[in-house]
Amino acid sequence: MIGEAGQQSVSPEDGSYWSIEINDLLLRLETSASGLASSEAATRLGRFGRNTPASTSSASALAVFARQFRSPLVLILIFAASVSAFVGEGQEAAIISAIVLASCVLSFTQEYGASRATEALKQRISRKAIVLRDGVECSVAAEDIVPGDVIRLSAGNLIPADGVILDARDFNVSEAVLTGETFPIVKAAGRSAPDASLARRTNAVFTGTSVRSGTATVLAAATGARTEFASIAAALERKIPETEFARGIRQFGYLMTEIMLAIVILVFFANLMLHRPLIQSLLFSLALAVGLTPELLPAVISVTLARGARAMAANGVIVRRLDAIENLGSMDLLCTDKTGTLTEGVIHLDGWLDVDGNPSTDILLWARLNATLQTGLKNPLDEAIAGASGEGASLPAFTKVDEIPYDFIRKRLSVVVRTKDAEALLITKGAVLNVLETCGFVSTAKGLEPLDEKQRAAIDEKFRRWSADGYRVLGLAIRRFESRKTFSRKDEIDLIFAGFLLFLDPPKQRVKETLAELAHRGIAVKVISGDNRYVAAHLAQAVGLRADRIMTGEALSKLTKSALFAGVQHTDLFVEIDPNQKERIVQALRSRGHVVGYLGDGINDAPALHEADIGISVDTAVDVAREAADIILLKQDLGVLVRGVDDGRKTFANTMKYISITTSANFGNMISMAIASLFLPFLPLLATQILLNNFLSDVPSLAIASDNVDADQLLRPRHWNIRFVRRFMISFGLVSSLFDFGTFAFLLLFAHATAAAFQTGWFVESLLTELAIVLIVRTHRAFWTSRPSPLLAWLTFGVGVVAIIIPYLPFAAWFGFVPLPLPVLAGLVAITALYLLASEATKRWFFGQESRQSHRKGVGQLIDGRPKPHAA
């Protein structure tokens, strides 16, 4: 076990472990280059804790419950209850307190349940790392790594702990998250000065950074809260841009706040001028503020998003960031690579051919040696080579000497083996053009020849022909050396071009239908691939995409920002693309007004995943891509994504239903109440009656997350538009107020109601109208043709029954209610029925107007008012 002195000596704060000689550090950490025993690792996990920043612990139930009372509206109500108690209105204070507590409990149960569900989903995509335990490599959760562990790292890995390098090959690490340095840093074993800055500790690696290329073995020295990442975690948090939906919610909050303040101030001072009691006027004004505000909106959003996340998880889509669900529903353009999404992703090696195009067992043998002995980034091409059936010499006859790992600049990988003749054989495979640039000779049936222009043209012709037939073609070259131990990139020169490897990755069986389903939902697809133009065009034709609008990486590199901005709109296939160009393409597409989704699973996809509105990766992706993504697909299938889009749009639709309900009858009732208070000799509703009304009308809203969504609301991207909300609020609010004034006339002129009877009657009518509007605005269709979810229907019906019988209950007097004569009650129900029909007619008129305005502006406009980009 690590002693206290050893623990202190290697702490980042005072140990400067990067300056300690390796053998000394191994002794201090009481470990070895072969790693820890599993039992010792378990003991250290108990001592040091899990390898996560301390700030990432999830909130407790008590903390979530306490957070409900930090809402400004809740604080206003607590203040109102305190004022009531202070002036001797104990009953009113108790009622206000009970309603506040009930509202907070409702909000807490929804939010806490949502957070627990989200946490459970995140556990399904926890990160893994390769460590040495009991002397053998094994995969463990990154959270279980402890000081003294020996970690294996390769291209694409996120580094899980702070530590020093024991050995490395062509090891480049991106440390931008810590240092801001754009370019990868070359790392190697050795020692750094005790006072070296982060950027100068070239023998150390740090949590949260990522491996760009090469391989390394690292000794973990600090984990969890003791890492550099944790010490500056507040400054390192990923700055996630505000989503369109979040921005809309914020703007909606501003709108409601402006209306609330204007009405509350006006009503309060108007009541004082009418010589109403100060406390009564204050409570009435504050109750109006509560009635106007959608105080359950945060809870409804949380529940709706969490339910959407669970539904998506059931369909094979894990949400890493809940806000991303709304963006997924808004997506109108998907950028994707072709491998595994448009194709089967199960690559087969179909040919191993010499330069003349004839099958060659030597080519297969050399390819197998290269693929099976390399220790860097694993990829499907190497797996296809290893699994190919064919004759060839046995691999045990060769011994690995060295390797030159793959990187995205060279686009090739070299392995050096020792033959039975004790000479070294360097085998290079990679993109045909990148392999050719290292070659000075070519092996033909006539023997070894210089690689001249004629030979290059012949090789290029074969490459194009096979590519046009849908094959992915790699080149393979060799060179023999006198035996030595180390090799470098400088040795990739004057190679002999030996032949070709032909891979086939056929289109998925239903991909054409899936692309049609995406198009039916208003989502265009663009392919961004590092493959050559011929393979990409062949695949595009096979799956039903346009193959004539192509841009190569070479052409893209010559474009200015404005030229690329114009060109991306009319391009469907981006081919031969370098990693850094992917981010530029996504950025240009977003600048054109698209909501862009990017699907990628490689190291070079991380920048584009960050740049996209919605980053999408797969469960088998490299660590960097998974961490950069907002959505993880458990299956690399566009069909899964289609279902995820539908779930995202359902989530958006159900969230907007609550806002529509709040901004229709609720808004109209509060406006009516404010106006009526200026002309009636008494308050139209008491403060406690307003709060009770608001509480009861919110109960069905808790079921909105489970409500059914009409199929026609899933057929286009959904966007937030505050102008649309304002028009909706005014249109339906006016209808609500019109019927409120009709109710006032009915109660005063027909029923000759007293103050208590008037308040009771209008309480019943206003609550019934708020419930009725739920059934109207939840659908764009006729309400009787769209079935609500059973829970929403029963809650709405149940609260409606409560609204009718509440004046006759024993505790009615607590709220100032009196029993209503049956003719009066029947009249109120009739007014509500007329309001239901009027609201339905208003809905048809309103959406008809919106549709006509959209049509007049052209087909490039959506009904919600957001400009729709031209079809790609």
Side-chain angles (χ1 to χ4, degrees):
M1 184 179 296
I2 298 177
E4 291 301 319
Q7 180 183 342
Q8 291 299 321
S9 66
V10 297
S11 77
E13 291 82 1
D14 50 33
S16 302
Y17 58 84
W18 53 89
S19 66
I20 301 173
E21 199 274 327
I22 287 295
N23 289 330
D24 188 17
L25 185 59
L26 288 168
L27 287 173
R28 296 190 189 193
L29 285 168
E30 298 183 10
T31 186
S32 69
S34 59
L36 297 170
S38 297
S39 57
E40 176 63 16
T43 301
R44 295 189 184 193
L45 186 61
R47 171 186 286 269
F48 291 98
R50 301 189 75 79
N51 182 29
T52 56
S55 60
T56 59
S57 58
S58 56
S60 65
L62 183 61
V64 175
F65 184 68
R67 192 160 60 229
Q68 311 307 314
F69 292 87
R70 293 191 311 196
S71 164
L73 286 172
V74 171
L75 294 177
I76 286 173
L77 289 176
I78 292 174
F79 170 74
S82 302
V83 170
S84 297
F86 180 76
V87 298
E89 296 289 341
Q91 180 177 320
E92 191 162 88
I95 292 173
I96 294 175
S97 300
I99 292 175
V100 169
L101 182 62
S103 295
C104 289
V105 167
L106 276 176
S107 185
F108 160 74
T109 56
Q110 299 299 312
E111 183 176 338
Y112 186 68
S115 66
R116 294 296 88 195
T118 303
E119 195 65 31
L121 292 176
K122 287 182 178 178
Q123 293 302 316
R124 294 178 60 177
I125 52 171
S126 60
R127 191 157 47 95
K128 301 289 185 180
I130 302 298
V131 301
L132 291 177
R133 294 272 173 90
D134 302 315
V136 297
E137 290 187 0
C138 61
S139 176
V140 302
E143 294 180 349
D144 293 339
I145 289 176
V146 295
D149 263 325
V150 176
I151 309 167
R152 301 284 201 203
L153 297 172
S154 60
N157 289 158
L158 275 178
I159 294 171
D162 289 5
V164 294
I165 296 172
L166 299 179
D167 63 73
R169 289 303 312 274
D170 293 318
F171 193 56
N172 290 267
V173 177
S174 175
E175 295 185 337
V177 68
L178 288 180
T179 65
E181 174 59 49
T182 304
F183 298 101
I185 307 298
V186 178
K187 299 282 187 174
R191 295 171 67 180
S192 300
D195 58 350
S197 64
L198 279 176
R200 294 184 180 276
R201 298 175 198 170
T202 56
N203 68 322
V205 294
F206 308 103
T207 301
T209 59
S210 59
V211 183
R212 184 67 179 173
S213 64
T215 60
T217 302
V218 168
L219 172 64
T223 59
R226 293 171 296 279
T227 63
E228 297 288 347
F229 186 93
S231 66
I232 52 175
L236 292 177
E237 285 187 6
R238 178 183 169 194
K239 301 300 181 184
I240 300 173
E242 185 179 41
T243 65
E244 181 188 44
F245 187 80
R247 184 166 56 252
I249 292 294
R250 177 169 51 80
Q251 293 172 344
F252 174 66
Y254 292 157
L255 174 65
M256 297 305 294
T257 301
E258 291 169 2
I259 296 172
M260 179 185 72
L261 288 175
I263 291 178
V264 168
I265 293 172
L266 174 65
V267 170
F268 176 66
F269 284 105
N271 276 273
L272 288 182
M273 293 176 66
L274 293 172
H275 306 292
R276 303 258 170 82
L278 173 65
I279 298 302
Q280 191 180 55
S281 299
L282 175 63
L283 292 177
F284 177 74
S285 301
L286 293 177
L288 273 184
V290 175
L292 278 169
T293 308
E295 71 280 359
L296 277 187
L297 183 58
V300 168
I301 291 176
S302 296
V303 175
T304 307
L305 290 177
R307 193 177 192 281
R310 288 195 296 270
M312 292 169 73
N315 287 326
V317 181
I318 302 296
V319 180
R320 295 187 67 249
R321 184 167 66 92
L322 283 181
D323 287 351
I325 294 177
E326 307 291 359
N327 272 359
L328 186 61
S330 302
M331 180 176 70
D332 58 30
L333 180 60
L334 175 65
C335 296
T336 179
D337 195 357
K338 61 184 187 59
T339 304
T341 51
L342 303 181
T343 65
E344 291 290 350
V346 181
I347 298 175
H348 306 281
L349 178 62
D350 270 26
W352 38 93
L353 312 176
D354 61 20
V355 174
D356 297 316
N358 301 314
S360 168
T361 56
D362 285 342
I363 297 296
L364 178 58
L365 169 64
W366 294 331
R368 280 178 172 169
L369 289 168
N370 180 286
T372 58
L373 297 180
Q374 70 99 4
T375 58
L377 182 65
K378 304 298 181 185
N379 65 80
L381 298 179
D382 287 334
E383 293 174 2
I385 293 171
S389 59
E391 297 181 0
S394 61
L395 299 188
F398 298 86
T399 304
K400 180 180 176 182
V401 176
D402 203 354
E403 73 175 281
I404 307 169
Y406 180 90
D407 64 59
F408 293 99
I409 303 300
R410 292 163 44 250
K411 291 188 177 179
R412 56 182 179 264
L413 163 70
S414 295
V415 169
V416 184
V417 296
R418 184 179 293 111
T419 68
K420 60 183 179 180
D421 298 326
E423 68 177 355
L425 176 65
L426 183 145
I427 306 167
T428 299
K429 81 171 191 307
V432 172
L433 295 180
N434 296 70
V435 171
L436 269 178
E437 70 185 17
T438 68
C439 295
F441 304 91
V442 59
S443 176
T444 68
K446 299 178 182 178
L448 198 63
E449 298 180 9
L451 182 62
D452 55 20
E453 290 303 319
K454 181 179 179 182
Q455 292 287 358
R456 287 181 183 274
I459 290 171
D460 186 59
E461 190 277 330
K462 291 183 178 68
F463 167 66
R464 291 191 182 199
R465 174 161 46 85
W466 288 325
S467 296
D469 289 336
Y471 287 100
R472 181 169 181 179
V473 184
L474 295 187
L476 191 139
I478 61 169
R479 182 182 175 185
R480 301 181 189 276
F481 293 85
E482 292 183 2
S483 183
R484 67 174 193 257
K485 292 184 178 180
T486 60
F487 290 80
S488 68
R489 300 177 187 179
K490 295 179 181 178
D491 293 307
E492 292 180 335
I493 188 172
D494 287 335
L495 272 58
I496 303 169
F497 191 85
F500 305 91
L501 299 169
L502 274 59
F503 300 86
L504 190 61
D505 186 12
K508 288 190 173 179
Q509 290 185 354
R510 292 197 69 258
V511 69
K512 184 178 288 189
E513 291 81 357
T514 303
L515 291 173
E517 290 177 7
L518 286 170
H520 186 58
R521 287 161 175 78
I523 301 174
V525 175
K526 294 182 184 290
V527 176
I528 304 178
S529 176
D531 280 356
N532 69 75
R533 69 198 75 180
Y534 311 108
V535 174
H538 180 274
L539 176 67
Q541 289 178 332
V543 301
L545 295 175
R546 291 190 62 167
D548 58 332
R549 305 201 298 186
I550 298 178
M551 182 183 294
T552 65
E554 182 181 3
L556 190 152
S557 65
K558 299 175 182 177
L559 296 179
T560 63
K561 187 175 182 179
S562 57
L564 178 61
F565 176 85
V568 292
Q569 192 71 12
H570 307 292
T571 303
D572 295 311
L573 304 180
F574 297 89
V575 297
E576 301 166 20
I577 295 296
D578 288 334
N580 294 334
Q581 294 176 327
K582 295 182 178 182
E583 184 178 13
R584 285 189 65 197
I585 295 169
V586 173
Q587 189 178 53
L589 290 168
R590 291 186 67 211
S591 299
R592 295 286 303 190
H594 291 286
V595 177
V596 180
Y598 183 87
L599 175 57
D601 61 357
I603 309 168
N604 53 352
D605 290 313
L609 287 166
H610 275 297
E611 178 62 30
D613 294 287
I614 177 76
I616 308 163
S617 193
V618 295
D619 192 37
T620 55
V622 297
D623 294 341
V624 178
R626 282 170 30 125
E627 287 297 311
D630 305 302
I631 300 287
I632 302 292
L633 305 183
L634 297 182
K635 184 179 180 183
Q636 196 162 353
D637 182 2
L638 284 182
V640 173
L641 187 60
V642 170
R643 294 190 291 272
V645 168
D646 286 347
D647 289 329
R649 292 181 182 179
K650 287 177 183 177
T651 301
F652 183 98
N654 282 335
T655 304
M656 290 304 296
K657 287 176 186 178
Y658 178 74
I659 292 174
S660 298
I661 293 164
T662 302
T663 56
S664 50
N666 296 29
F667 173 74
N669 287 344
M670 295 304 112
I671 296 297
S672 303
M673 197 180 312
I675 295 173
S677 69
L678 304 180
F679 298 99
L680 293 174
F682 50 84
L683 290 177
L685 281 182
L686 301 177
T688 52
Q689 294 170 344
I690 297 174
L691 296 177
L692 180 63
N693 181 297
N694 193 58
F695 174 74
L696 290 175
S697 64
D698 274 338
V699 170
S701 299
L702 299 176
I704 284 178
S706 66
D707 191 25
N708 301 323
V709 176
D710 296 336
D712 58 349
Q713 295 193 46
L714 306 179
L715 298 183
R716 64 176 178 221
R718 307 295 299 179
H719 302 285
W720 179 275
N721 187 326
I722 194 64
R723 292 190 299 273
F724 176 87
V725 173
R726 188 183 296 114
R727 291 193 300 269
F728 187 94
M729 179 173 63
I730 293 172
S731 300
F732 283 83
L734 288 175
V735 174
S736 177
S737 292
L738 179 64
F739 277 84
D740 288 336
F741 294 136
T743 303
F744 297 162
F746 170 76
L747 291 172
L748 292 173
L749 302 178
F750 175 78
H752 305 291
T754 62
F758 181 95
Q759 291 163 348
T760 302
W762 194 44
F763 174 90
V764 171
E765 188 273 345
S766 63
L767 183 53
L768 288 176
T769 56
E770 289 178 38
L771 295 171
I773 202 66
V774 172
L775 303 176
I776 299 296
V777 301
R778 59 166 297 278
T779 176
H780 291 187
R781 294 155 49 183
F783 76 89
W784 56 85
T785 65
S786 177
R787 180 178 298 179
S789 68
L791 182 59
L792 179 61
W794 281 110
L795 283 178
T796 303
F797 176 77
V799 176
V801 172
V802 171
I804 293 174
I805 68 172
I806 199 169
Y808 310 98
L809 297 177
F811 57 81
W814 297 355
F815 293 92
F817 295 139
V818 295
L820 295 174
L822 288 181
V824 173
L825 187 61
L828 295 174
V829 171
I831 292 173
T832 302
L834 291 174
Y835 169 73
L836 196 69
L837 296 175
S839 295
E840 177 64 28
T842 302
K843 180 180 70 177
R844 295 192 181 190
W845 168 83
F846 180 83
F847 287 114
Q849 286 286 102
E850 291 293 319
S851 180
R852 284 188 289 273
Q853 286 182 17
S854 173
H855 182 72
R856 283 196 298 270
K857 292 176 183 178
V859 294
Q861 296 289 322
L862 288 176
I863 193 170
D864 58 12
R866 177 189 169 99
K868 180 180 179 181
H870 297 293

